[in-house]
Amino acid sequence: MPPERIHITTAITYSNGPPHVGHAYEYLAADSYARFMRRKLGKKNVTFVTGTDEHGQKNRDAAVKAGLAPKAFADQISAMFKQAHAGLNISYDYFVRTTDPVHEAFVQKMLARSHTSGNIRFREYEGLYCVGCERFYTEKELLPGNLCPEHNQKAELLKESNYFLNLEKYRDRIRDQIKRNRDFIRPERYRNEALKMLDEPLADLCISRPKARLDWGIELPFDANYVTYVWYDAFWAYLSELPDTSDDALKAILPVTEHFIGKDILKTHAVYWPAMLLAVELPLYRSLNVHGFLNFGGARFSKSSGNVADPLAYEANPGPDVLRYFLLRDVVYGLDGDFTEERLIERYNADLANDLGNLTSRVLSMAARYFDGEVTAHPASNREDAAICEAFAGVAPRSDAMLETLAFNRALEVIWQALDAANKYIVATSPFTLAKDPAKLPRVAEILANLLEGLRVVADTLAPFMPVTSRKILDLLAIGESIAHAPFGQGLKPGHHVKPATPLFPRIDAKRS
RNA sequence: GGCGGCGUAGCUCAGUUGGUCAGAGCAUGCGGCUCAUAUCCGCAGUGUCGUAGGUUCGACUCCUACCGCCGCCA
């Protein structure tokens, strides 16, 4: 039973470089889900947060490398991501930067709360420290001879005092939550992995960094010599800039919060984040929706090999919604996917140009040619029409059911099955043949009424996945918001006028590359 | 090293609790239609369902071992 209200988040991007298709994938999945939920629960009942994670060692290092102050560098990166969100039509409500004063104040509030409730301990710590990495390693992580795997230089024994969050205290509660609730972490493979992480006792989580070592972070409210660890900082971005961050509001929003994250940050979200919440006596989130990685032509993406595509380029050409369609249709949520331009173009031609675009075109053309664009009949239900009416009527509920379980690909498949049924229906009823006999025009009108009404339902169901295209089709059908969501058969009425066809997705010549 | 996942037509993958499950889409070939973006419809395939055993009247579906790829934890 879905809640009446929902809060959706993407990971708060920690990046020292520009956005690529891998980032875009997460935004697009979360965005489609958010749009879907808005349609279902109403705009007011959905909030959607994204943003950039700007503190920490790596960001500071990248800034130094770029010859900029950390904040100036963060401004640059953050602006790039914000621009990417806009270009990809990501419908977020809040874009949180972890350097925003509101966020910083919120984090300090939570730190203070954990501290006063006795869940944060200060103690001396001795470990093997790599000066190059500026971080501690466990012996197991190091190469023989205590060599750092990154720098191949010897890690030194270093003594440092830090603040620690007791994770072990919460291990049982977190594990119980995962066990009790099948949807807490999904898909199931990640749920299993998370459970395994909680089988063994957990070491304390270090949540501070001495300013002497790293000063690019949020100062601990109870010790001015320290800043907080970047992860502790970042999680709170999911909540920090909501309009109401009172305890009551947080207690209401967390149980309806759905996080979209990549599999690389499963542990932090399945173990650390719940412990952080429990340490301030807040409830846990509703579910963690874990997606896989995107490969590029079979190879893992890497900045150095230059196979990281710029997602915004695809919005310009082949056009808006195409990257969204491809990623959501071709990748199974939770599994790794493969991105290549060849596959993108294959999908574009086969699904968007041939199926969706051409069907829209042929239906609108007939409507224009035979009836001047006027709908002159109600959707009919002759024996011949029963199957198609059923197909159209079933699109939305069947697609929605798939989306509930994050099966974006299956949801789109359902829509395309309806397109397929429509093409078969046209051949079976041959309105273009009937139209040659004036006596049969009333029947042609019925057929077209069914098809136009079907297109409307398809366009509406498609809206979360392809918002721009959906709007374009609805515009061609001259459909306003008010009747866009009506069930099949209750939208277009006789007397309604639709517009002439225009190609939505011109075919791409395969030879061009 | 421990645990887990995957290996099904050229490609991407579906295959619920073992018995029309050997399938879909794309790509390919042939035929048809003409409203439509050389689009649409129909037909045609190819597969030792990773390998070798086992359980069963019967296994892609369960068990064992092995091979290959991957992930998580060590």
Side-chain angles (χ1 to χ4, degrees), chain A residues 171-179 195 198-199:
Chain A
R171 182 161 64 95
D172 285 344
R173 285 174 65 185
I174 299 169
R175 197 173 41 180
D176 284 352
Q177 172 71 5
I178 298 174
K179 277 190 176 155
L195 279 171
L198 293 162
D199 277 347

Side-chain angles (χ1 to χ4, degrees), chain A residues 205-209 218 220 227-234 272:
Chain A
L205 177 68
C206 179
I207 58 149
S208 68
R209 294 291 183 269
I218 299 175
L220 297 186
V227 297
T228 193
Y229 174 43
V230 65
W231 269 111
Y232 188 91
D233 171 353
Y272 302 162

Side-chain angles (χ1 to χ4, degrees), chain A residues 119 166-175 275 278-279:
Chain A
N119 293 314
N166 181 354
L167 297 180
E168 179 60 16
K169 180 175 171 186
Y170 307 108
R171 182 161 64 95
D172 285 344
R173 285 174 65 185
I174 299 169
R175 197 173 41 180
L278 292 174

Side-chain angles (χ1 to χ4, degrees), chain A residues 60 81 116 118 205 231 259 296 308 310 358 398 451 468 495:
Chain A
R60 200 210 58 175
F81 275 86
T116 43
L205 177 68
W231 269 111
H259 298 302
F296 292 80
V308 181
D310 170 13
N358 182 60
R398 291 177 58 215
L451 288 166
V468 175

Side-chain angles (χ1 to χ4, degrees), chain A residues 65-88:
Chain A
K65 204 170 169 186
L68 290 171
K71 181 64 165 77
F73 180 75
D75 287 348
Q76 238 177 44
I77 295 283
S78 189
M80 270 196 284
F81 275 86
K82 207 162 184 172
Q83 198 185 347
H85 279 75
L88 294 166

Side-chain angles (χ1 to χ4, degrees), chain A residues 18-23 296 300-311:
Chain A
H20 54 69
V21 171
H23 294 114
F296 292 80
R300 184 168 286 193
F301 76 76
S302 78
K303 287 165 195 162
S304 51
S305 69
N307 62 357
V308 181
D310 170 13

Side-chain angles (χ1 to χ4, degrees), chain A residues 392-406:
Chain A
F392 284 138
V395 173
R398 291 177 58 215
S399 170
D400 289 0
M402 291 297 162
L403 205 41
E404 292 280 359
T405 65
L406 302 176

